[in-house]
Amino acid sequence: MKDLGKRLAGIGEDLSHIDAILITHEHSDHVAGLPVLARNKNVHAVIYMTRLTAPSIDWGDAPPRRLETFQAGSSFPIGDIEVESFSVPHDARDPVGFCFEAEGVRIGVATDLGYIPESIKFHLRRTDLLLLEANHDLDMLKVGPYPWSVKQRVVSRVGHLSNLSMSDFLCQDLDSSTAFLVLGHLSEQNNHPEIVRLMATQALDGRGLHTNLAIAEQRRPSEVFRF
Ligand SMILES: [Zn+2]
Ligand SMILES: [Zn+2]
């Protein structure tokens, strides 16, 4: 929560002014600090997650009052933003990705997915900005420090998207109208930002696309994208 506050302050925002927080799934790298944040009196944000995800989070005494649950796959408005949720193949209870649309601008968010099924490719069409996972380099993962069972989990159909799968998507499916591509959820152990940049650049160049590319970092907020 402290870190989130600091990062928001860095772009001139304040946690107390945030209207909504959307959770994709219950894994700890996504909800660490959420129960504390939900109990904080200065935070007024409504917390959104799927009906099945909510009970799989350890809320402490009771779930927060401002919890709003939705059915995975449904769409709903938050203020003037139309939110579209879609199921993703990942080993969590009921994981989703999101698309956000407002004033003709469409943003897609797809991380924590083992592969990209056709249904998700459909959702990610027409996005002006796409945040896509580039989790691991297959060779680094193979020789890396993870135990065998975890390596198996990561590369499985319900694990994480490899650089190669990301690059395949850019070669075959990325919409030419996507102005900004942000690659994120990079593994610190099994990937390197420069490998991700190289593979993405090669894929984009191969198609003659001039998409703006950004690599999201774990410990620093990305730039602010404006439309
Ligand atoms: Zn996850
Ligand atoms: Zn994750």
Side-chain angles (χ1 to χ4, degrees):
M1 182 176 161
K2 239 188 228 167
D3 209 35
L4 186 59
K6 254 191 243 164
R7 289 175 184 216
L8 285 168
I11 56 167
E13 297 285 350
D14 193 309
L15 196 47
S16 63
H17 295 152
I18 297 293
D19 297 314
I21 296 171
L22 291 96
I23 302 295
T24 56
H25 64 296
E26 75 279 13
H27 285 162
S28 60
D29 55 324
H30 296 258
V31 300
L34 181 67
V36 174
L37 190 150
R39 278 196 296 271
N40 190 289
K41 288 188 187 65
N42 297 320
V43 179
H44 312 290
V46 178
I47 299 161
Y48 292 83
M49 62 185 68
T50 75
R51 267 193 284 132
L52 295 175
T53 301
S56 53
I57 291 176
D58 180 6
W59 294 106
D61 296 340
R65 276 178 291 119
R66 293 181 311 276
L67 181 65
E68 212 37 82
T69 60
F70 62 88
Q71 170 65 43
S74 66
S75 298
F76 50 92
I78 301 178
D80 57 359
I81 302 174
E82 188 60 26
V83 180
E84 208 177 285
S85 72
F86 51 87
S87 292
V88 296
H90 188 56
D91 56 358
R93 193 68 214 283
D94 190 25
V96 292
F98 292 111
C99 278
F100 305 99
E101 201 162 337
E103 294 175 33
V105 176
R106 185 170 166 83
I107 291 172
V109 175
T111 70
D112 298 76
L113 66 173
Y115 71 106
I116 312 182
E118 291 301 318
S119 60
I120 295 184
K121 290 177 184 172
F122 178 77
H123 279 284
L124 300 182
R125 278 195 206 154
R126 290 192 306 105
T127 49
D128 297 290
L129 183 149
L130 174 62
L131 166 58
L132 183 66
E133 173 165 49
N135 180 259
H136 56 276
D137 175 84
L138 285 166
D139 293 326
M140 283 179 78
L141 180 72
K142 252 181 237 164
V143 299
Y146 283 9
W148 179 243
S149 59
V150 179
K151 289 182 183 182
Q152 289 288 85
R153 200 216 120 209
V154 170
V155 300
S156 79
R157 299 273 276 181
V158 288
H160 289 279
L161 209 63
S162 67
N163 294 345
L164 192 62
S165 306
M166 171 277 290
S167 160
D168 283 348
F169 176 82
L170 302 194
C171 289
Q172 287 152 29
D173 301 290
L174 182 72
D175 229 314
S176 57
S177 64
T178 304
F180 296 96
L181 174 67
V182 184
L183 297 172
H185 210 294
L186 274 66
S187 165
E188 283 190 316
Q189 310 266 12
N190 307 307
N191 211 349
H192 194 283
E194 286 316 310
I195 300 176
V196 174
R197 186 177 296 282
L198 184 71
M199 289 186 71
T201 305
Q202 278 173 351
L204 294 172
D205 286 353
R207 285 187 53 197
L209 294 177
H210 301 291
T211 319
N212 291 289
L213 178 65
I215 313 290
E217 291 178 39
Q218 298 235 7
R219 314 204 178 277
R220 252 198 324 190
S222 63
E223 64 188 283
V224 178
F225 299 93
R226 294 184 197 281
F227 290 91

